[in-house]
Amino acid sequence: MPRTGVLGQATRIDPVPADHEALDELREREDLGDGELLLRTADGTEISLP
């Protein structure tokens, strides 16, 4: 069954090893406190990441 929604037209971007390394470095930082990580899309939408 073909996808007909928005995600069916989305471009999938798989993380590369450098992306995982950057995330690991962020997780190791102690000076970030309890802040939140936001993903901001091209249209300005913000998505809070756990």
Side-chain angles (χ1 to χ4, degrees):
M1 173 190 231
R3 294 183 180 188
T4 59
V6 174
L7 290 179
Q9 300 173 11
T11 300
R12 180 180 175 97
I13 301 173
D14 291 315
V16 296
D19 295 332
H20 292 284
E21 293 167 11
L23 182 57
D24 289 341
E25 289 176 15
L26 280 173
R27 287 182 174 145
E28 290 173 5
R29 291 187 56 171
E30 296 179 4
D31 62 334
L32 295 178
D34 291 329
E36 67 179 325
L37 183 61
L38 291 176
L39 172 66
R40 183 172 294 132
T41 63
D43 69 358
T45 302
E46 293 184 348
I47 302 168
S48 178
L49 300 175

